[in-house]
Structure formats: C-alpha cells, structure tokens
C-alpha cells in the first residue's frame, strides 16, 4: 500500500518539514486545480508527517503542527492525513490534532495512518483510541484509519463513540482487526453513517473479528443510513457468506464489498444457492478471489439473473509450494 495521493476527493499535498513558507507554496504550485490554475490552501488534503526523526523530543515534533498553523493556517483546511510521526505510533499526532481542534473549524475528513509500505508494514502501524478525535470534531464526516496494532504503551486501535451525528464514512484498513475494535465500532451511535469499510486481515497477526462482533449492525438495528458495507481483506470470508445471506441489514444495502479476501468454492456455492437473498444489491464486489473457473461462471450467472452487478476480476490460484500445508491462500494485505 502506498501513501495516499487523493483523499476526500482532493489531491494530497505534503506540508514540508523545511522551515520556509516557500516550501509549501511550491507544493501547491505543483497541484493544478480544476481550472488548471495552482491549487489553494482549501482545495487540497494536507498530509502532516515527520519522517525519520524518532530521536526527536515530542515537543520538537509538535512544532511541525504549530508551524503548519502559523504558515498555512487551519481555518480553510477541510481534509487532512496524518503520516509517520517520527515512528510507527499514531497516538502522538492524534493527540496533537485533538489538542488543536479549535484551530480547524472546517475540518471534515481525516485519515490516520497515511503510511506507505516502504515506510512501515501495515500490521506494524500502531494505532490508538480514536474516540477522542471524533468527540473533538463533532462535524467530521469522513474518517479513515490504516493499521490496528497496539503500541508500547498498551494502546491499540479503539473506536467507540456513544453518539456522533455527522460521520458518514468510516474506513479501517488493517492486516489484523481485533474483535474488540469491531465491537466498539458496531456499538457506536452513528446515525448518519452511510459507508463502513472494514479490512479484517488474518488471525496470525491478531485479526479475530467474527460475524458475532458485527451482530448489532447485521441485525439492521444500528446505522440506519448504511448503504455500503465492506468486509474486505478477510481470511475467513467463506464463513461470512451464510451469515450475510441471513442478515436483515442486507435488505437495505446497495453495495456489499467482499473483495481482497479468501473466497473459495465453499463460499461460492453458498452465494449461488442464496443468490436471491442478495438480489436487492446494486453491486457485489468479489475481486481478488480463489473461485475455480467453473464456480466463477456459476456465481456470475446467478447474480446476472438477479440483476446484481458483480465484480469477479482478479481470480487467483492457491500456492501449492508447501506440500505439508496443502494449498495456501492469501488475503491482499496482512503483514
């Protein structure tokens, strides 16, 4: 996974670590607006990161945010991403953003953990409790998160808010999503949420989210505006198919995204047998799957009959290199 180049529909621009105002103005000149003119402060998503400086004291790293406020200002910023902050732990920049929430009155979209594969492996990005972030920004509409591991202080990704009336989109990209994190999300009060995307990952790295953890959501009782559900990058995707087919939530979903995971013929058979249960969907995304050619065609035909657009691209073959383990299947992202 690479650093984001676009977020919230806006090009991402790095606020440089160099200490001259000309530095960030040069970044803006390199991004053309819709009319071809250089972008302005409010028409980009700003990435704040402090690269390779884990030896710095926290107050030295904090000056990167205060300098941003001094040179660029926060009033017109609507979207921001937080990258590496002298290491792989995201607690410090999140705490700083919460501390300076009043300086960003128009911030509507935040991505925590905008870290590329060349900077840190997905499952090594250490997250924190993001509840205070949502509480500090009651008008936030979009939140993206990359990584879910705990850090040396025992803090791990936690995301539960009793009530937040503005959040419409929540994405958690993880190589191993703990069930405790998922339960916190599912039990949150998010009446405006339209889009929920969860990357479940693999058990080897601590990804133990199960359908039971999403029970309040699947029952149809939570998140009344939800129209897109992503159960992505899931190692045990076959086990989710029959549960989803029975879920009351399915009746009001428009898009079900089961891509990037391990879907085999076992799950494919259930999809064919229960295709009618999914007939209310507009789209079903299954790309990156391990269906046999024959099963792929059966799934395609079953959903075409029900008028559901299905993405079956990127069919993969299992790895047979290990004679002791048998066929090996992989999610799109784990380590």
């Amino acid at each position: 996974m690479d650093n984001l180049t676009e977020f919230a529909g806006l090009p991402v621009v790095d606020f440089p670590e160099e200490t001259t105002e000309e530095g960030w103005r040069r970044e803006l000149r390199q991004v053309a607006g819709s009319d071809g003119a250089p972008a302005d402060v409010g028409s980009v998503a700003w990435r704040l990161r402090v690269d390779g400086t884990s030896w710095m004291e926290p107050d030295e790293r904090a000056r990167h945010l205060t300098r941003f406020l001094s040179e660029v200002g926060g009033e017109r910023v609507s979207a921001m991403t937080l990258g590496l902050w002298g290491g792989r732990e995201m607690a410090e920049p999140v705490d700083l953003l919460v501390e300076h929430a009043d300086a960003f009155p128009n911030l509507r979209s935040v991505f925590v953990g905008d870290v590329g594969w060349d900077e840190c492996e997905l499952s090594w990005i250490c997250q924190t409790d993001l509840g205070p972030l949502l509480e500090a920004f009651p008008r936030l509409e979009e939140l993206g998160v990359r990584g879910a591991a705990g850090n040396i202080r025992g803090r791990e990704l936690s995301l539960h808010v009793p009530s937040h009336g503005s959040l419409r989109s929540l994405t958690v990209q993880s190589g191993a999503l703990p069930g405790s994190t998922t339960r916190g999300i599912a039990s949150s009060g998010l009446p405006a949420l339209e889009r929920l995307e969860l990357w479940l990952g693999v058990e080897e790295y601590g990804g133990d989210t199960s359908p039971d953890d999403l029970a309040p959501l699947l029952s149809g009782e939570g998140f009344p505006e939800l129209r897109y559900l992503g159960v992505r990058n899931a190692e045990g995707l076959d086990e989710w198919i029959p549960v989803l087919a029975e879920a009351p939530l399915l009746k009001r979903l428009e898009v079900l995204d089961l891509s990037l995971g391990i879907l085999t013929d076992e799950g494919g058979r259930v999809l064919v047998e229960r295709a009618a249960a999914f007939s209310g969907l507009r789209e079903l995304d299954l790309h990156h799957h391990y269906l046999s050619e024959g099963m792929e065609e059966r799934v395609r035909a079953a959903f075409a009959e029900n008028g559901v657009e299905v993405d079956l691209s990127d069919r993969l073959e299992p790895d047979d290199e290990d004679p002791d383990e048998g066929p090996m299947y992989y999610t799109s992202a784990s380590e």
Side-chain angles (χ1 to χ4, degrees), residues 82 88-91 94 110-114 122-134 143-161 167 170-188 196-201 205-209:
L82 300 177
R88 57 193 178 94
E89 297 187 15
M90 300 309 303
V94 169
V110 175
F111 193 99
V112 181
D114 183 3
L122 175 61
S123 291
W124 284 70
I125 302 171
C126 296
Q127 284 295 343
T128 185
D129 183 359
L130 297 181
L133 179 66
L134 286 172
L143 177 61
V145 186
R146 184 174 291 174
N151 63 19
I152 58 175
R153 299 173 183 84
R155 300 168 72 174
E156 64 179 7
L157 177 60
S158 176
L159 212 169
H160 173 80
V161 285
L167 196 69
L170 174 59
T171 298
V172 180
Q173 299 176 345
S174 170
L177 189 63
S180 58
T181 302
T182 305
R183 290 191 296 274
I185 294 171
S187 60
S188 290
L196 176 63
E197 178 182 341
L198 302 177
W199 291 32
L200 305 191
Y205 290 97
D208 59 0
T209 289

Side-chain angles (χ1 to χ4, degrees), residues 54-183:
S54 58
W55 51 267
M56 280 185 174
E57 293 297 324
D59 61 339
E60 294 181 85
R61 293 191 293 267
R63 280 198 286 273
H64 189 56
L65 176 57
T66 55
R67 187 169 62 83
F68 175 83
L69 291 174
S70 174
E71 294 187 14
V72 180
E75 287 191 1
R76 296 172 59 194
V77 175
S78 65
M80 175 178 291
T81 81
L82 300 177
L84 281 181
W85 204 260
R88 57 193 178 94
E89 297 187 15
M90 300 309 303
E92 189 174 294
V94 169
D95 291 345
L96 281 170
L97 187 56
V98 169
E99 180 184 343
H100 292 85
D102 290 346
F104 296 96
N106 293 302
L107 189 61
R108 298 292 180 268
S109 302
V110 175
F111 193 99
V112 181
D114 183 3
V115 179
W117 63 270
D118 56 336
E119 297 173 305
C120 183
E121 298 286 359
L122 175 61
S123 291
W124 284 70
I125 302 171
C126 296
Q127 284 295 343
T128 185
D129 183 359
L130 297 181
L133 179 66
L134 286 172
E135 292 172 5
F137 292 94
R139 300 173 68 187
L140 198 70
E141 297 177 358
E142 180 176 5
L143 177 61
V145 186
R146 184 174 291 174
N151 63 19
I152 58 175
R153 299 173 183 84
R155 300 168 72 174
E156 64 179 7
L157 177 60
S158 176
L159 212 169
H160 173 80
V161 285
S163 179
H164 191 287
S166 299
L167 196 69
R168 295 190 302 163
S169 176
L170 174 59
T171 298
V172 180
Q173 299 176 345
S174 170
L177 189 63
S180 58
T181 302
T182 305
R183 290 191 296 274

